[in-house]
Amino acid sequence: MTGLASSFLLAAVLQVAPAQTQPAQIVISPERAEIEVAETARLTVTAQDGAGRVLDDLPVRWVASTPELASVSADGVVTGLNPGMARITAVVGRKPVSVSVVIRALPAARLIANVGSDEPYAGQVIPVWVSASNRLGEPVKGPELIWSSSNPDIAAVDAAGLVFARQAGSATISVSGETVSTSIELRVKPDPGISYRLEPTESRVRTGDVIRFTATAQTDSGERVRVFPEWSLSGLGAQIEDEAGEGVFVAEEAGTYRVNARMGERDVQSGVVVVEPRGADAQLIQLGRGGISEHHSGDVWVFEGVDGRDYAYIGTFMWDWMKVWDVTDPSNPVLTDSLQLDARRINDVKIHPNNRLGIVTREGASSRRNGMVFLDLSTPAHPEILSEYTETVTGGVHNVWISGEHELVYAVHNGTRAVHVIDISDPETPLEVGRWGIDSEQRSLHDVMVQDGYAYVSYWDDGVVILDVGAGSHDGTPTTPTFVSQFKYPIGNTHVAWRYGQYLFVGDEIFPAEWDANGAIHARGYIHVLDVSDIENPVEVAKYEVPEAGAHNVWIEDDKMYVGYYQAGLRVVDISGELRGDLYKQGREIATILTTDSETTTPNWPMAWGAQVFKGRIYSSDLNSGLWITELKERSRVVF
């Protein structure tokens, strides 16, 4: 839960507090507590009036302001959930007081050591990998370890767990933590005469291009020997990481770099990489504008109507209109209609692949029956309400995804914090046929995308959850989603996810604790790039982060990622080839445009919402200024 969300929760508690004696002072005891994960501590409250008299029998409401770190019961018992500084608030009457509770990580209770080879040849270097877990069986990251060898003349070990095999014989390598230890036995074999090789030895690439170095070894007799290279790099502005023995190199800055692979105590092989600037090779040209300055805009969807003309539908933020633009001539968008609904927010707009049915989501309806509104697009310039679905999603729908193949809608419901599967084969009488959600009232659900039988569900503080909805890999079907995997990170709110090839692009959305929709919002957050080649074990391999700005929605097509990056405008990023490291610093950003002009609710402050590529053009909405239509123009390259 973000600071913004927890502020809403506390505000709600204060609003429902009944009229009663208001204390002048509240004291929570103890003022500061310290517990380990899974431990508990009891907090108590003393309330006094203006004369210092204790007020007995006043009801106390406890709120966990950082629920990702700790929970609190109705009688003030705090339970540590994750390491960090938790904030617990007591509300007496309408007066809140908070204290901090330090949640310490559990120490390592078990160590498991694995060695690259327990029978290395003399002269080799061999890594030892250690995994640590606490008494709950959870992994412990970065434990402090002490290494030692029973016979350093046979095999020595350094402080990072790298073993130097020196001569034939046996040795025990021991590793210990604060209260736990383990060991491994090594038998070093005589050196058979090993020669080492590194490929490639010379390379010329651009910033952002990935090179994989391969280290090999063989004996004098030609026998292949497994090696465990320790990679290092000379020069700043690049990185190299080990992946299953390969050295994965990528540079953020142009220059000449030397890659070193240490395979023996005295054997180091090198390769040279000459890196040239990647260089921007395109620009965004503005074609047209559908300025909206009387209210804030939301999501946009562009499609070809059944009448053969092109339309852009735009929702609204803190307003009750959906705007209809004819964009057949992208240089001259024409507002043809405005559809008014009972809502305080029309966050999402989606069009069925048949272009005859539209869906808009509602939040903040005065009737408190939000849900979805289905639109008849027989006359796309003037859509009409066909039906509504509120039965199981009255709490508001934030986003949806339409599966035209199965005539289903996957709806993100604010109330249950679950994905509801709605059958729309008869759009006049939609019917819920399934749902999936994390079983916790403190969860927050934001977005869903379905591609190739998998649903990618953005669960805010719980990261991205991948579900089988017909891929069949985990017995899921379109109406019975099943869990596949989950990826979350300690800081950031998972807002959106988009699958492209082997990668999943996951965007954060971070707003300041206090913000005004009618002013300049200083958003933060970035795009995490996950390798999902192994769908059960997503791995973060890269990121795209524009300094001092915040990411929002993405669209990916033809090796290009289009990002509505809020106050940094619309950005276009080259995502071709293998991705590693910091895409922004590598110069993979190829075009940008700040989505602000005179027709805006907040002058000189863009808040790009997202983008959609349609018929070769990019259609974007901006929270403050409405519709933008641009075109990506390649710059000509001069070759000497």
Side-chain angles (χ1 to χ4, degrees), residues 97-174:
V97 173
S98 299
V99 294
S100 296
V101 178
V102 175
I103 313 296
R104 300 191 309 272
L106 292 174
R110 185 186 185 196
L111 300 178
I112 298 177
N114 292 288
V115 65
S117 171
D118 58 6
E119 293 188 350
Y121 289 110
Q124 284 190 287
V125 291
I126 306 295
V128 179
W129 302 285
V130 175
S131 60
S133 57
N134 59 33
R135 60 180 172 82
L136 302 178
E138 301 168 333
V140 175
K141 296 182 179 179
E144 292 187 12
L145 301 174
I146 298 175
W147 297 85
S148 63
S149 171
S150 64
N151 193 338
D153 292 335
I154 301 296
V157 62
D158 67 12
L162 189 65
V163 173
F164 302 90
R166 290 176 171 165
Q167 61 179 332
S170 297
T172 301
I173 304 299
S174 300

Side-chain angles (χ1 to χ4, degrees), residues 451-513:
Q451 183 180 356
D452 296 330
Y454 290 105
Y456 302 92
V457 185
S458 298
Y459 249 107
W460 213 241
D461 291 332
D462 292 282
V464 61
V465 175
I466 303 176
L467 305 176
D468 179 352
V469 291
S473 61
H474 294 72
D475 298 324
T477 72
T479 58
T480 56
T482 58
F483 178 83
V484 176
S485 60
Q486 181 178 15
F487 184 91
K488 59 182 179 179
Y489 31 88
I491 299 175
N493 306 316
T494 303
H495 164 269
V496 69
W498 188 291
R499 175 73 182 269
Y500 186 76
Q502 74 185 75
Y503 298 111
L504 185 66
F505 296 81
V506 179
D508 287 335
E509 183 182 48
I510 304 174
F511 273 21

Side-chain angles (χ1 to χ4, degrees), residues 372-448:
M372 300 174 288
V373 177
F374 293 81
L375 305 178
D376 180 349
L377 307 185
S378 300
T379 307
H382 305 284
E384 296 184 354
I385 295 176
L386 176 68
S387 62
E388 297 182 358
Y389 181 77
T390 62
E391 184 177 353
T392 62
V393 287
T394 58
V397 174
H398 200 65
N399 283 295
V400 299
W401 189 268
I402 301 175
S403 173
E405 176 185 1
H406 300 102
E407 295 296 340
L408 297 173
V409 170
Y410 295 85
V412 169
H413 182 217
N414 300 338
T416 59
R417 302 169 180 86
V419 177
H420 293 237
V421 186
I422 311 299
D423 184 335
I424 57 168
S425 54
D426 179 0
E428 295 191 57
T429 57
L431 177 68
E432 179 170 317
V433 291
R435 72 173 67 177
W436 191 95
I438 296 177
D439 186 19
S440 173
E441 294 183 359
Q442 295 179 344
R443 297 317 191 231
S444 180
L445 176 59
H446 196 277
D447 201 3
V448 59

Side-chain angles (χ1 to χ4, degrees), residues 16-37:
V16 299
Q20 59 186 16
T21 303
Q22 297 299 311
Q25 182 180 12
I26 300 173
V27 176
I28 299 180
S29 298
E31 295 181 357
R32 180 185 174 93
E34 187 169 338
I35 58 176
E36 288 185 345
V37 170

Side-chain angles (χ1 to χ4, degrees), residues 108-399:
R110 185 186 185 196
L111 300 178
I112 298 177
N114 292 288
V115 65
S117 171
D118 58 6
E119 293 188 350
Y121 289 110
Q124 284 190 287
V125 291
I126 306 295
V128 179
W129 302 285
V130 175
S131 60
S133 57
N134 59 33
R135 60 180 172 82
L136 302 178
E138 301 168 333
V140 175
K141 296 182 179 179
E144 292 187 12
L145 301 174
I146 298 175
W147 297 85
S148 63
S149 171
S150 64
N151 193 338
D153 292 335
I154 301 296
V157 62
D158 67 12
L162 189 65
V163 173
F164 302 90
R166 290 176 171 165
Q167 61 179 332
S170 297
T172 301
I173 304 299
S174 300
V175 55
S176 60
E178 185 177 347
T179 60
V180 65
S181 64
T182 190
S183 63
I184 54 175
E185 302 295 326
L186 295 183
R187 185 176 71 85
V188 180
K189 297 182 293 187
D191 182 0
I194 300 176
S195 59
Y196 300 93
R197 185 176 180 181
L198 180 67
E199 292 181 334
T201 56
E202 295 183 7
S203 302
R204 183 177 292 271
V205 296
R206 301 173 300 167
T207 54
D209 289 342
V210 175
I211 301 177
R212 288 180 171 266
F213 285 87
T214 302
T216 58
Q218 65 179 27
T219 65
D220 290 343
S221 62
E223 178 189 354
R224 293 291 296 269
V225 177
R226 187 181 179 191
V227 292
F228 304 90
E230 181 188 37
W231 301 98
S232 62
L233 187 65
S234 64
L236 302 176
Q239 68 180 43
I240 189 163
E241 298 176 331
D242 182 89
E243 185 177 278
E246 287 188 316
V248 184
F249 171 93
V250 66
E252 297 172 351
E253 299 178 9
T256 300
Y257 300 90
R258 183 176 298 278
V259 174
N260 302 307
R262 183 182 190 181
M263 291 174 275
E265 189 166 7
R266 298 178 181 83
D267 292 282
V268 177
Q269 298 292 309
S270 298
V272 175
V273 185
V274 178
V275 180
E276 300 173 344
R278 194 174 195 90
D281 57 3
Q283 61 184 138
L284 285 167
I285 306 297
Q286 182 179 328
L287 298 179
R289 276 282 283 119
I292 302 174
S293 58
E294 65 272 20
H295 57 73
H296 296 291
S297 298
D299 190 42
V300 62
W301 195 270
V302 190
F303 67 103
E304 181 179 315
V306 294
D307 58 0
R309 301 184 66 81
D310 297 333
Y311 296 90
Y313 287 4
I314 299 182
T316 51
F317 180 80
M318 299 178 67
W319 207 257
D320 55 358
W321 292 96
M322 186 197 78
K323 301 290 186 180
V324 179
W325 294 87
D326 184 321
V327 293
T328 307
D329 178 1
S331 65
N332 184 35
V334 177
L335 184 66
T336 63
D337 208 342
S338 295
L339 185 66
Q340 190 172 26
L341 303 172
D342 180 10
R344 282 288 291 162
R345 180 171 181 165
I346 301 172
N347 188 72
D348 200 15
V349 180
K350 290 290 193 300
I351 305 299
H352 193 287
N354 65 17
N355 295 334
R356 297 179 177 276
L357 178 69
I359 299 177
V360 293
T361 63
R362 292 197 306 192
E363 294 172 281
S366 62
S367 65
R368 296 189 179 183
R369 296 188 65 80
N370 293 283
M372 300 174 288
V373 177
F374 293 81
L375 305 178
D376 180 349
L377 307 185
S378 300
T379 307
H382 305 284
E384 296 184 354
I385 295 176
L386 176 68
S387 62
E388 297 182 358
Y389 181 77
T390 62
E391 184 177 353
T392 62
V393 287
T394 58
V397 174
H398 200 65
N399 283 295

